[in-house]
């Protein structure tokens, strides 16, 4: 009897605790729901406030223009003849320009955040043909603003508008020489890139070969930021001249491969080296404006995996690559020593084709006038700044201590 009573009490205790736990969870869920609703209300309030501010700014600009018209009209009432008419005409034109400028700024802002509804309203209330090609202070159009953030719905609205000169809009460049397509490639917005390339008015070849003010084409921009999917799409496009694009250089002589090696984008680099149209050997031995190859750039940055992939590639020339020195005279090994990249030094010294003594040699450089100078002069001028001799000595000692292969 006693045991049964205890079990019964224990059972009721468990049920009570379970009920309390359920009630507690329901209360927590209710609190969470209320917090989310407050956040939603705050967001709506902030958005409404921003819209009201924008509307107030437009009203202020319009009121200022209207005041100028009124002043001109009063002036016309006190005068006569053609001069008065011209004064009023100029004031009206000023009012129209102020209104159009406010609407243009609003369109650019809406395009930048992908607000399609606001864009439709603005384009329906004003001179759409003019607004579609209008620019901000940096030369960016609404299409460029939308492409820069990958807002494909906004881009489609702009390109398919009845008043749009789509071909001119797609080839328009801002003050940096960037088009909607190159900016979409920079951040890897593949759908935005595809939308532009596949548009009926697109000149795909011109878009892919267009270079900005620093010489970057779309492939180089995508390579610089490691956008593998964007690079793959560019190289596979039917209008692409993949070989020419991979050998294209920017204003400093960098190719897509040297950029990926320098910045450590391994997947992007392999995509380039393994492409059917790639002249991989030439690409790996290409030198930029400072005489640096993909390997020396990777060594300088300490990207060990990049260096391993370059030296192990079937088209690699390891001896030539490791012995190459840039314009100041440093080989890949000296660059790793200069920057203290011990793992990168170990990779080079351990390579079957390594010649540590030769790789340690400081090669003849180029002086400020572009002429060659002797090794001694190079050492006197540059070694103190470029080479940590203690690190190099440690590397040589470490290499000499290794058992013979």
């Amino acid at each position: 009897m006693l045991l049964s009573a205890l079990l019964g009490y224990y059972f009721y205790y468990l049920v009570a605790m379970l009920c309390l736990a359920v009630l507690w969870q329901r209360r927590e869920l209710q609190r969470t729901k209320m917090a989310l609703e407050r956040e939603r209300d705050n967001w709506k309030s902030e958005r409404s406030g921003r819209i009201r501010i924008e509307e107030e700014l437009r009203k202020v600009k319009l009121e200022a223009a209207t005041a100028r018209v009124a002043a001109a009209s009063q002036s016309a009432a006190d005068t006569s003849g053609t001069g008065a008419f011209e004064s009023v005409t100029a004031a009206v034109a000023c009012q129209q320009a102020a209104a159009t400028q406010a609407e243009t700024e609003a369109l650019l802002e809406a395009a930048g955040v992908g607000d399609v509804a606001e864009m439709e309203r603005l384009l329906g209330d004003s001179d759409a043909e003019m607004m579609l090609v209008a620019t901000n202070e940096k030369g960016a159009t609404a299409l460029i603003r939308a492409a820069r953030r990958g807002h494909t719905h906004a881009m489609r609205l702009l390109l398919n508008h009845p008043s749009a000169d789509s071909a001119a809009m797609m080839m328009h460049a801002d003050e940096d020489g960037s088009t909607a397509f190159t900016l979409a490639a920079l951040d890897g917005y593949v759908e935005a890139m595809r939308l532009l390339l596949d548009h009926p008015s697109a000149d795909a070849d011109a878009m892919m070969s267009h270079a900005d003010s620093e010489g970057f084409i779309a492939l180089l921009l995508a390579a610089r930021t490691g956008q593998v999917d964007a690079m793959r799409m560019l190289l596979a496009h039917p209008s692409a001249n993949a070989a020419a694009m991979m050998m294209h250089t920017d204003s400093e002589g960098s190719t897509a491969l040297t950029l990926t090696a320098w910045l450590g984008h391994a997947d992007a680099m392999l995509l380039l080296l393994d492409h059917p149209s790639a002249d991989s050997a030439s690409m790996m031995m290409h030198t930029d404006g400072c005489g640096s190859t993909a390997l020396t750039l990777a060594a300088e940055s300490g990207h060990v995996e990049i260096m391993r992939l370059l030296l192990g590639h079937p088209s690699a020339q390891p001896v030539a690559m490791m012995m190459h020195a840039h314009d100041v005279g440093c080989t890949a090994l000296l660059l790793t020593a200069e920057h203290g990249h011990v793992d990168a030094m170990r990779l080079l010294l351990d390579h079957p084709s390594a010649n540590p003594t030769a790789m340690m040699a400081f090669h003849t450089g180029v002086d400020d006038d572009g002429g060659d100078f002797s090794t001694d002069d190079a050492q006197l001028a540059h070694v103190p700044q470029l080479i940590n001799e203690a690190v190099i000595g440690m590397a040589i000692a470490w290499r000499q201590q290794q058992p013979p292969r």
Side-chain angles (χ1 to χ4, degrees), residues 89-217:
T89 302
V92 172
C94 182
Q95 180 191 31
Q96 293 173 340
T100 301
Q101 179 62 27
E103 291 168 344
T104 299
E105 291 174 358
L107 177 65
L108 292 171
E109 179 67 22
V113 296
D115 190 344
V116 175
E118 178 69 1
M119 293 170 66
E120 288 177 337
R121 184 188 71 79
L122 290 165
L123 291 171
D125 294 345
S126 55
D127 184 356
E129 183 177 1
M130 186 279 297
M131 291 181 65
L132 288 167
V133 296
T135 64
N136 61 12
E137 68 279 2
K138 295 183 179 180
T141 61
L143 181 64
I144 286 178
R145 291 291 302 274
R148 183 70 176 83
R149 300 300 179 193
H151 298 308
T152 53
H153 294 299
M155 294 169 63
R156 191 173 288 108
L157 170 67
L158 295 167
L159 291 170
N160 296 336
H161 194 278
S163 301
D165 182 355
S166 303
M169 289 164 59
M170 286 187 281
M171 291 308 299
H172 172 82
D174 64 15
E175 66 177 12
D176 295 323
S178 300
T179 64
F181 184 71
T182 58
L183 289 172
L186 176 65
D187 287 322
Y189 292 118
V190 176
E191 291 305 315
M193 296 167 64
R194 186 173 289 114
L195 172 64
L196 293 166
L197 288 174
D198 294 344
H199 194 275
S201 302
D203 183 345
D205 180 64
M207 290 166 65
M208 288 189 286
S209 60
H210 172 82
D212 64 18
S213 58
E214 294 182 348
F216 287 100
I217 61 174

Side-chain angles (χ1 to χ4, degrees), residues 222-265:
R224 189 172 74 177
T225 51
Q227 304 295 341
V228 178
D229 291 338
M231 294 170 64
R232 185 178 291 111
M233 191 269 280
L234 285 166
L235 293 171
H237 195 275
S239 301
N241 184 343
M245 287 163 60
M246 287 187 284
M247 291 305 297
H248 176 88
T249 59
D250 65 12
S251 57
E252 296 184 354
S254 299
T255 62
L257 183 70
T258 56
L259 287 170
T260 57
W262 176 43
L263 297 168
H265 301 310

